[in-house]
Amino acid sequence: MPFQRRSWAEPFKIKVVEPLTMTTREEREKHITEAGYNTFLLKSKDVYIDLLTDSGTNAMSDNQWAGMMMGDEAYAGSVNYYHLEEKVQEFYGYKFLVPTHQGRGAEHIISKILIKPGDYVPGNMYFTTTRLHQELNGGKFVDIIIDEAHDSQNLHPFKGNVDLQKLENLITKVGGKKIAYVTIGATVNMAGGQPISMENLRQVRALTSKHGIKVVLDATRAMENAYFIKRREKGYENKSIKEILLEICSYSDAATMSGKKDLLVNIGGFLALNDNDVFEEARNMVVVYEGLHTYGGLAGRDMEAMARGIVEACQVDHLQARIGQIEYVGNRLIELGIPIVRPIGGHAIFLDAKQFYPHLEQLKFPAQTLAAELYLDSGIRSMERGIVSAGRNKETGDHYYPKLELVRLTFPRRVYTQAHCDVTVESVYEVFQNRNNVRGLKMVYEPKYLRFFQARFDKL
Ligand code: F0G
C-alpha cells in the first residue's frame, strides 16, 4: 500500500466537548435488566459510546449554531423557511417544499395523499416507519430489492438496487393502477446502509413512467448514496456530490426526508415535490398534523440549521471522513474475523447476529441478545435490526422472519474519535470471544406498533 498522507482524517477540529459517563459492569447489569434488555429503554446518561442511531445525534458546526441565532420565530413566513426552500431547490431539485418535524411526518402526509386502501406500495426493502404509515393508510408493502441485499456476505456494490423483474411482475399481476407509488430508499438502511446505482434509478424511472406510476424517494441518506456512486459507478468519478444528488432526485416525483441524518441537525425533515396538485394537498394536510406550511412543526432556528446543513453535508471532504470512519471500524472487525454485513455501508456497521450466535434460533432474538451483551461489556449502545424490528404481518399476526438478523453500530456524524472506534472494535471482539456462553432472550412485553422501541425481554 502506498503511504497515504491523509486518508479519511476529519476536515474539522473540536471546539466544544460533552463529558461521557463511565460505568462498571455491575452498574450496567442493573441498567440493562431495568431496561428489559432493550437498548432503546436505557437512559443515555448510563451509556458510554452511543451508537444507537445516527438520527438527530450529529454534531452541528459553528456555522450552524450561528444560524440558530438567526432564527426568525414568526408564526408565518419565516425567513428561515425561504432559506431552506432555496437550498432544497438548489441541491435536491424539487420545486415545492413542505417542512415537517422529521421524516415520518413527511411519510405520514404522502402516504395519506397517495395511498387508497388495497393499493400496493413496492419498495427496495422496508423501513419501519415508512412501511407502517403505508399500512395504516391501507397499503400493502411489497419488497422488490435484489436478492443479494438479503445475503449479508454478498459483495454486490449496489445492494440497494431494485430487482426490475420483481417490479414488472407486480405490475403485471395487479396492474399499474393498484400501485400507489414506488418507494426508493437511498441508501437502504435495513440492508446495511447499501446504495442504489444511478443506472438502476434510471431503469426504475423508465419502467414506472411507462405505467404512469409515481416514484417517491426516501432521501434521508441520499448524499451518502451519492458518495458511493461517485466512488463506484463508472462515469461519476469526476462529478460533484451536488450534481449526483440532483440526478438521483431527478428520477423521482417527490422525496420524504429525515434531516436528522444527512443534514447534520438534531431535528427536522421535509417533503419535497414537483406535482402542483399533490403539493396543494400536502400543504392542506401539514397544517392539520404538523404546523403551518411555512414551519411544519419546526422552529425557525431548526430550519436555518437544516438549510446550512445541506450545504455542509454535500461537501465531498465531509462524506469521505464520514464514510471513512465507518470503513475503518468495519475493516478492523473483518480482520478480526467478526461477521458483519458486506460491503461496509454508509452510516453503520451491521453485525450479523445469525453468524455471531449460530446456536440461537431467531425466536431467541440473537440480535437483541447481542446488543445487550455489547452494552454489558463496555457501555456501548447499539440497536437491534432483526426479527424484533421487523414486527408482525398485519393479516396473519405472525412474526416476520427477516433473513437479516443484525445489530447496528450506527455512527453519529462528527461526534466520535478514532479512539472511540478502537474501543468499539475491542468490545465487539470481547463479546465475540464469549459468544458460546450466551443463551438468548424471551419477549415479555410487546407493544402494538413499532415494537422494537419499547418491547421488554428476559434472559433465558
Ligand atoms: N427513512 C429512513 C431510511 C430512516 O432511516 C428513518 C429513520 C426514517 C425514514 C424516519 O425518519 O426518524 O426522522 O422520522 N431512521 C432512524 C434510524 C430512526 O435510527 O435509522 P425520522
Side-chain angles (χ1 to χ4, degrees):
M1 264 257 294
F3 176 66
Q4 267 189 306
R5 289 178 65 91
R6 175 174 169 264
S7 53
W8 56 273
E10 293 84 350
F12 58 82
K13 60 182 176 176
I14 297 166
K15 177 144 53 187
V16 178
V17 297
E18 178 182 344
L20 295 174
T21 327
M22 315 288 271
T23 50
T24 62
R25 172 136 193 148
E26 206 182 3
E27 287 167 334
R28 292 194 293 274
E29 293 271 6
K30 183 168 160 280
H31 298 321
I32 196 75
T33 312
E34 282 173 8
Y37 295 89
N38 185 346
T39 52
F40 277 104
L41 300 179
L42 288 166
K43 292 181 179 148
S44 104
K45 71 172 179 54
D46 300 325
V47 170
Y48 174 39
I49 301 175
D50 201 347
L51 306 181
L52 184 71
T53 177
D54 63 332
S55 182
T57 52
N58 307 298
M60 294 207 293
S61 67
D62 51 1
N63 178 50
Q64 284 175 295
W65 279 108
M68 295 286 278
M69 290 303 293
M70 306 297 287
D72 170 8
E73 307 307 341
Y75 188 86
S78 161
V79 168
N80 315 111
Y81 166 78
Y82 292 105
H83 187 203
L84 179 62
E85 182 189 46
E86 177 200 318
K87 290 301 167 199
V88 170
Q89 288 167 344
E90 180 188 340
F91 283 81
Y92 291 89
Y94 300 99
K95 283 193 217 150
F96 306 116
L97 168 72
V98 180
T100 57
H101 76 287
Q102 57 183 71
R104 69 198 72 176
E107 292 167 357
H108 178 202
I109 292 172
I110 199 73
S111 304
K112 254 192 142 61
I113 297 174
L114 295 182
I115 300 173
K116 293 185 300 303
D119 279 354
Y120 292 83
V121 194
N124 55 347
M125 203 173 266
Y126 83 102
F127 183 71
T128 54
T129 57
T130 321
R131 183 178 68 190
L132 182 58
H133 277 296
Q134 292 163 357
E135 289 175 350
L136 289 172
N137 285 286
K140 192 173 161 50
F141 174 81
V142 182
D143 190 7
I144 52 163
I145 203 165
I146 55 173
D147 288 339
E148 287 87 336
H150 293 280
D151 171 0
S152 73
Q153 298 311 303
N154 190 296
L155 292 177
H156 193 298
F158 290 104
K159 274 164 103 173
N161 279 358
V162 167
D163 184 329
L164 295 154
Q165 196 57 55
K166 286 183 190 170
L167 178 55
E168 191 146 15
N169 291 349
L170 180 72
I171 298 171
T172 310
K173 190 169 142 213
V174 305
K177 288 210 166 53
K178 290 295 278 180
I179 296 179
Y181 54 90
V182 177
T183 338
I184 296 296
T187 58
V188 181
N189 190 350
M190 303 303 278
Q194 305 293 335
I196 178 169
S197 73
M198 199 69 90
E199 188 192 6
N200 190 249
L201 281 161
R202 218 176 283 128
Q203 289 164 336
V204 169
R205 182 48 160 203
L207 178 58
T208 50
S209 293
K210 220 168 68 185
H211 298 273
I213 300 169
K214 287 191 161 65
V215 174
V216 177
L217 179 74
D218 181 340
T220 296
R221 298 182 184 83
M223 289 190 191
E224 291 172 2
N225 200 115
Y227 180 75
F228 282 118
I229 288 176
K230 183 175 171 68
R231 276 214 337 219
R232 295 182 187 164
E233 195 162 346
K234 215 166 156 272
Y236 289 89
E237 307 84 344
N238 299 317
K239 295 215 166 167
S240 69
I241 299 293
K242 188 175 172 181
E243 286 170 309
I244 299 173
L245 181 64
L246 279 168
E247 188 178 341
I248 291 174
C249 296
S250 75
Y251 301 125
S252 65
D253 301 280
T256 55
M257 179 70 193
S258 170
K260 301 171 73 173
K261 284 79 165 177
D262 259 0
L263 302 187
L264 303 165
V265 290
N266 305 122
I267 192 72
F270 57 78
L271 175 64
L273 316 113
N274 286 328
D275 183 307
N276 196 42
D277 294 341
V278 183
F279 173 57
E280 273 300 311
E281 188 64 21
R283 269 213 300 196
N284 280 321
M285 216 164 261
V286 75
V287 300
V288 181
Y289 295 107
E290 301 277 317
L292 195 74
H293 61 280
T294 55
Y295 76 84
L298 294 170
R301 55 179 171 267
D302 297 324
M303 291 189 282
E304 186 58 32
M306 194 153 54
R308 294 181 183 215
I310 291 177
V311 181
E312 287 178 24
C314 223
Q315 305 304 313
V316 71
D317 270 9
H318 158 69
L319 287 163
Q320 184 184 338
R322 176 347 174 229
I323 291 174
Q325 183 177 53
I326 288 154
E327 288 176 343
Y328 170 77
V329 175
N331 285 326
R332 284 205 57 195
L333 290 171
I334 291 169
E335 279 163 26
L336 291 169
I338 312 278
I340 67 168
V341 173
R342 299 173 71 183
I344 297 163
H347 65 302
I349 297 299
F350 290 73
L351 305 173
D352 185 334
K354 278 189 185 170
Q355 287 192 44
F356 209 99
Y357 293 139
H359 59 291
L360 295 186
E361 59 190 86
Q362 205 163 9
L363 267 181
K364 289 184 177 165
F365 307 109
Q368 192 77 31
T369 307
L370 177 50
E373 288 295 321
L374 200 57
Y375 174 74
L376 276 170
D377 182 68
S378 57
I380 290 174
R381 170 153 69 173
S382 56
M383 183 192 289
E384 193 266 6
R385 295 274 82 158
I387 186 167
V388 184
S389 295
R392 291 178 185 272
N393 182 310
K394 256 182 78 182
E395 274 144 36
T396 64
D398 291 341
H399 297 280
Y400 286 114
Y401 288 87
K403 280 210 183 110
L404 297 176
E405 175 74 21
L406 309 173
V407 169
R408 192 180 73 174
L409 303 170
T410 334
F411 287 78
R413 296 164 188 78
R414 309 193 290 203
V415 171
Y416 289 114
T417 66
Q418 189 165 347
H420 289 126
C421 293
D422 291 337
V423 171
T424 305
V425 170
E426 285 153 22
S427 179
V428 172
Y429 187 62
E430 184 68 26
V431 172
F432 191 58
Q433 299 298 359
N434 293 322
R435 62 192 180 279
N436 293 329
N437 303 325
V438 167
R439 298 211 151 62
L441 296 167
K442 63 170 189 262
M443 204 190 297
V444 294
Y445 166 66
E446 180 175 354
K448 188 163 160 210
Y449 296 122
L450 301 176
R451 62 184 185 178
F452 54 95
F453 284 132
Q454 295 173 80
R456 303 185 69 87
F457 301 82
D458 248 344
K459 260 192 165 156
L460 278 176

